[in-house]
Every structure is written in C-alpha cells, then in structure tokens.
Amino acid sequence: MWVDSGDYEQALERAWEHTREWLRALPGRPVRPSTAAEDITAVFGGPFPATGLDPAAVIDFLAEHAEPGLMAMQSGRFFGWVIGGTVPAGMAADWMVSAWDQNSGLRFATPATAGIEEAAGRWLLELLRLPVGSDVGFATGASMANFTALAAARWRQLASVGWDVNAAGLQGAPKLRVLVGAERHESLDMALRFLGFGAPEVVEADKQGSIDPAALRAALEAGSGPAIVCLQAGNLHSGAFDPFLEAIPAAKDHGAWVHVDGAFGLWAAAVPALRHLVEGVELADSWGTDAHKTLNVPYDAGIVVVRDVAALRSAIGMHAEYLMQDDHGPGDPMEKVPELSRRARGVPVWAALRSLGGDGVRELVAGRAECAAELARRLAEVPGVEVLNDVMFTQLSLAFGSDERTRAVTDFIMADGRVWMSGSRWQGRDILRVSVTNWSTDSADLDIAVQAVKDALEATGQAGRLDDSAPRS
C-alpha cells in the first residue's frame, strides 16, 4: 500500500523531542548508567505482544525506559576506552542516511551515496597524507577495517608465491608469517583468527608499547617466506606510535606487506604539530582507523585504506550475474568492505569532514591531545597519583600506589558518575585508563575529572578501601 510521509511525522517528531532532551541533559547528567541490562530486559521483554502499538507511543516508551540504562558517552566527561562523541553534522547526516534507506553496495544502484563516499575517501587520503589512488572502504569499525586490509594482504602475499587463495583456500597453502608488536590491540589477533592465520609471531616492544625495530628485523631474518607485519599508530594504554621510519623499511627489506592499525592515532597525520608521531606511516601498504573515535562521527564509522587496489578487490569483492557492476575506475563500495548489504556509513564521515574543514579537523585532533597533556600535568601534581606513560597523544595510564588502591579508586570513580574512566592492566600493574577523545571535552570537564580523582583518593585512604561515605554502584 502507499505510505504517506505523514505516517512518519508523529514518530519522527517524538524522536526529535526525546533526542533534544537527551542532548540538553548531557552537560549535567551523570555519565554512568543507573540500572543494569537485566533490568532493561525485564522492561522491554516479556511475551511477544499479539497487537501492535502506535509508532509514536513506541518511541515514547523507548525513550523513557531506555534512559536509565544509557551511558552518556557523548558527554565531555566520558573518558572511557577510546570512544568519541558525535559532531552535529555527522549525527544529522546519519539520520538522513536512515531516511534515504539506500543499500550502498553498488555505484549503479545508489550513485548518490557511492559518490559521496568516494569524495569522502579522497578527502581522507589528503587529510591523512596517504597515497593518492588507494582504495578507501567504510567498514563497521576499526576491527573490520583491520580484517579487510589483512584479507587483501593475505591474497597478495600468497599470490606472490603462486598460490591462489580464492580458488585453493588455505589448506596446503604456503606458510604465511604474521608479525605483531607485543602491545598490539587484540582486535588484530581476532582478525587474524577470522582469516585462518592463528596466533601471530610476537615482537618485543619498549616500555611505552612501541615495537622494537631491531627486534622486528631480527625476527624477520630468523624466518623465511611471505610475511605480513602489523604496526600500530596509537597504543591502547600509552598512545605511543611505532617507529614507522625504521620498522617499515625493515619489513620491506624482507618483502613483507605492512599494515598499520591506526584506530585512533592515525588522525595525528592531520596536525602539523603531531605529524612527527606518524612520520613514515605512508610507506605502509594498508591502514585501518575508526572515524567514531578521534573524528567523532556516529557509529558505524570504520575506514580501511589499501594501496594495492587489485589485492583488496580480489580478496573482498563479489561478482554475480544479477549485479550491474563497474569493471574499471573507482569500483563498487561492496568491493572494498566485506558486506553486500550495508547502510551508507561514509555519508556521515563526509558530513563531519565538510562541516569541520581542514582547520576544524586539525583543531579537533590537536585539542584532544592538548586536553590530555593538561590533564596529565594536573593529575601529576596530585599526591598519590602516578602518570605511568609519556603522554604524547590522547591516552593516560594512571596508578595510585598498590593495585588494591588503584582498583578502589577506579571503583569509586565509576560509581560516582561525574566522569567515566575505565580500569585496565598494563605492564604488570592495575591501572586507571583515561582517553580524551570526545570533541566537546573542555577545561571545565577537566576540572571535574581532577576533582573526581582527588575525591576518590580521599575516600579510599591509604588502605585502599572505600570509606563509608563513598558512593556505591
């Protein structure tokens, strides 16, 4: 039956009102959720209803009952994991993507979204100073960006020794070595498992988590055969960058494909004052990043860049009689990420880039690094706080004496709710991780963060236990 646009209006108006209320509440709202997942399930679950509910009423129910279980990840006081917020143009564009409802796999079928994504890809290559002509794909996140690039690497490196992995599979294939730094992100290991590699060879890293290029060269010389080397732009705990100018030539001397996991750190290339951190990164063969992190674009926003276009499209592309595909030129979006059906997730990336411009992107990225440096400086002045890493980008790792006390401080901060910082373990110690990623974080948010840490230290005391006055989760 014909659906009139008015059928959507009431539900969309209610969604807009609830969204506006959510955004208005963010500056003063506790960051942490106030209820648990099982409580939300109880409210939203039960027997499946036999009759439907008016769409506007569904939206009202959703907004009212989901709110207690929402983490205020868009808040400038959210410092957990490496999660950005959402710049206004990116959010609004994402709404339009849902309304357009384009299955953005083919240029022929969806020229608008395919063309916008191509434009965004070219801007990204320019902004991140990566090789012109590289293929750019928009994946779900950095994990799938890494997976996609490594699939291309697998195809090329096996083809270089005469093995067609598409036709013959992996059984009986020549051994393909994969070398990683000791402090790589676990998503790389996950991608390698998905691709049938198993566990990689681990290369020693320094105290900040950067791969040791001499150890990498020695490891490559100790073996033979086709290889893939995975490097990192932005260590999870320290923010450290691998020494690309030394590590990439070492890999290339042995014929290795070099992939860079730059989930949040690759954006340093956009800022002249930070570009030294990624010097030489353009010499690699593929790169993965996530625009939801440092660029603050809505999920999903993974980005994969591959220099070897033929390898990417051979490893990822699908061809069928019923699909009208280009056989030359920019290629179809479905040849660059492992999905045939997907939303036009590159459109919000384009919108964010266009709204910010080069100056805005540089200010955004540099501002997060400056906030991290300021927060580290202020916290280092607080008795009982140890800043464990060299703060070179957006990550801090903190400890508070014993592991017991560090855990107690972490528990206090998460229960308190004024800010959100996440616990971890790094180099044999329990730590409190702080990631300055949100575009809206400012000095006022840093004031609150410093005070929350001071209050946590006071509440936990020397024994590392919460006082009775401390908030409970």
Side-chain angles (χ1 to χ4, degrees), residues 60-79:
D60 287 339
F61 184 94
L62 181 65
E64 177 184 356
H65 296 289
E67 195 279 338
L70 295 176
M71 175 82 78
M73 291 181 174
Q74 285 170 284
S75 169
R77 294 171 285 113
F78 182 84
F79 302 101

Side-chain angles (χ1 to χ4, degrees), residues 223-368:
S224 61
I228 299 170
V229 171
C230 297
L231 301 177
Q232 182 173 232
N235 179 278
L236 177 69
H237 293 105
S238 68
F241 294 71
D242 286 340
F244 303 114
L245 279 178
E246 299 171 80
I248 294 177
K252 293 295 183 180
D253 286 347
H254 292 82
W257 176 295
V258 179
H259 172 66
V260 176
D261 174 12
F264 65 92
L266 196 59
W267 299 93
V271 182
L274 298 172
R275 202 166 286 154
H276 65 281
L277 297 172
V278 292
E279 188 175 5
V281 75
E282 71 281 356
L283 302 174
D285 298 287
S286 59
W287 306 261
T289 189
D290 191 341
H292 182 72
K293 298 182 186 300
T294 309
L295 190 62
N296 283 247
V297 172
Y299 291 113
D300 302 336
I303 298 166
V304 57
V305 180
V306 179
R307 183 197 301 269
D308 187 336
V309 171
L312 177 62
R313 298 184 192 179
S314 297
I316 295 299
M318 185 190 88
H319 300 276
E321 290 78 4
Y322 72 96
L323 298 176
M324 301 181 69
Q325 295 177 258
D326 287 340
D327 58 4
H328 63 282
D332 286 300
M334 58 167 285
E335 297 181 282
K336 305 173 187 181
V337 290
E339 298 165 302
L340 179 57
S341 298
R342 69 168 179 88
R343 67 189 284 108
R345 59 174 69 98
V347 173
V349 176
W350 177 90
L353 292 172
R354 184 63 189 87
S355 71
L356 292 167
D359 291 343
V361 173
R362 286 185 282 274
E363 182 180 348
L364 169 64
V365 178
R368 302 318 89 207

Side-chain angles (χ1 to χ4, degrees), residues 319-460:
H319 300 276
E321 290 78 4
Y322 72 96
L323 298 176
M324 301 181 69
Q325 295 177 258
D326 287 340
D327 58 4
H328 63 282
D332 286 300
M334 58 167 285
E335 297 181 282
K336 305 173 187 181
V337 290
E339 298 165 302
L340 179 57
S341 298
R342 69 168 179 88
R343 67 189 284 108
R345 59 174 69 98
V347 173
V349 176
W350 177 90
L353 292 172
R354 184 63 189 87
S355 71
L356 292 167
D359 291 343
V361 173
R362 286 185 282 274
E363 182 180 348
L364 169 64
V365 178
R368 302 318 89 207
E370 290 165 4
C371 281
E374 180 185 346
L375 185 58
R377 177 186 58 78
R378 294 179 61 180
L379 287 173
E381 296 172 353
V382 177
V385 176
E386 299 175 74
V387 180
L388 300 178
N389 64 305
D390 297 335
V391 181
M392 61 190 72
F393 196 50
T394 59
Q395 308 301 300
L396 286 74
S397 287
L398 309 175
F400 307 93
S402 68
D403 281 356
E404 182 185 19
R405 192 174 192 200
T406 296
R407 290 193 298 270
V409 168
T410 301
D411 289 345
F412 179 99
I413 288 171
M414 289 193 294
D416 177 75
R418 281 172 287 173
V419 301
W420 184 272
M421 301 170 179
S422 48
S424 187
R425 190 166 178 82
W426 185 48
Q427 298 189 346
R429 298 187 68 178
D430 284 345
I431 64 166
L432 178 66
R433 275 194 61 233
V434 182
S435 176
V436 184
T437 310
N438 194 284
W439 70 285
S440 65
T441 298
D442 58 19
S443 292
D445 296 316
L446 301 186
D447 290 342
I448 296 171
V450 171
Q451 190 59 51
V453 171
K454 289 179 176 178
D455 292 346
L457 284 166
E458 182 178 356
T460 57

